[in-house]
Amino acid sequence: MLPRVMPEITAENGFRLRRWELTDRELLREASVDPYIPLITTVPAPYSDAEADAFVRRQWMRTEIGTGYPFVIEAPDGRAVGNVGLWVGELPLRGFATAGYWVAAGARGRGVALAGLNAVTAWALGELALPRVELFVEPWNAGSLRTAEKAGYRRETLVPAYQEVAGEPRDMWRFVLP
């Protein structure tokens, strides 16, 4: 049985993973104006405080009902800079969990996504004893492709029309670990 509470996880380079809080509005405000993040997530765009609070409550619910673990990636200075998630809802049917991540534009290029992905993957394969973690990345997303490979994920196959993004089916590279 997987836990129904969010742990705090220490990540490399002073980063930390923690649950979303209502005080994380500034991160959501920045993410909401990103041209890509709202297309592939439930980050509200346009931004409003009410929508931000609803987003955070949805993240809490995902853990409570057992579908996933959405973490805020917190920088060493305590600022919320991104998100990494472990989604376990398909685990009973498919035998694997999926991971995903995004980083606010102002924090990119500093290893935020890699620190978050490494930490959540180690937790998934170690403490949770999951057999496999997969993640999916659009072929054009060079930064995310590099992050997956640096984290030790193996590029397995290009999956046609895997995910709908902005109302269109998009091909995605499937990465796996182990």
Side-chain angles (χ1 to χ4, degrees), residues 111-172:
V112 174
L114 182 60
L117 183 59
N118 280 341
V120 83
T121 301
W123 180 65
L125 297 176
E127 188 173 324
L128 298 182
L130 301 183
R132 176 176 165 127
V133 180
E134 297 189 354
L135 58 93
F136 295 85
V137 180
E138 284 194 80
W140 62 264
N141 193 337
S144 195
L145 294 169
R146 277 191 308 276
T147 296
E149 289 167 346
K150 284 181 181 178
Y153 281 77
R154 183 180 76 253
R155 194 182 305 209
E156 189 174 70
T157 187
L158 185 65
V159 183
Y162 178 78
Q163 182 176 342
E164 188 173 300
V165 177
E168 296 180 22
R170 302 279 179 95
D171 298 348
M172 298 278 178

Side-chain angles (χ1 to χ4, degrees), residues 3-174:
R4 298 290 174 104
V5 295
M6 290 291 293
E8 286 193 7
I9 301 174
T10 301
E12 59 204 30
N13 300 322
F15 291 99
R16 171 174 87 108
L17 306 185
R18 61 166 175 81
R19 80 179 217 144
W20 279 90
E21 297 296 341
L22 294 173
T23 55
D24 292 318
R25 287 179 174 166
E26 192 53 42
L27 175 58
L28 289 171
R29 187 183 327 277
E30 187 175 354
S32 74
V33 297
D34 187 273
Y36 190 60
I37 293 172
L39 297 178
I40 60 164
T41 69
T42 60
V43 168
Y47 176 89
S48 75
D49 286 348
E51 289 296 324
D53 291 353
F55 172 89
V56 170
R57 287 186 178 92
R58 283 194 306 274
Q59 304 323 298
W60 297 342
M61 184 61 64
R62 291 169 197 242
T63 303
E64 290 169 11
I65 65 173
T67 61
Y69 302 92
F71 292 94
V72 166
I73 305 170
E74 189 176 275
D77 65 5
R79 193 168 54 94
V81 293
N83 175 82
V84 62
L86 182 69
W87 310 113
V88 297
E90 298 287 326
L91 190 60
L93 297 173
R94 296 186 181 183
F96 62 86
T98 57
Y101 45 88
W102 56 262
V103 175
R108 292 180 186 151
R110 299 188 326 207
V112 174
L114 182 60
L117 183 59
N118 280 341
V120 83
T121 301
W123 180 65
L125 297 176
E127 188 173 324
L128 298 182
L130 301 183
R132 176 176 165 127
V133 180
E134 297 189 354
L135 58 93
F136 295 85
V137 180
E138 284 194 80
W140 62 264
N141 193 337
S144 195
L145 294 169
R146 277 191 308 276
T147 296
E149 289 167 346
K150 284 181 181 178
Y153 281 77
R154 183 180 76 253
R155 194 182 305 209
E156 189 174 70
T157 187
L158 185 65
V159 183
Y162 178 78
Q163 182 176 342
E164 188 173 300
V165 177
E168 296 180 22
R170 302 279 179 95
D171 298 348
M172 298 278 178
W173 276 108
R174 173 186 287 132

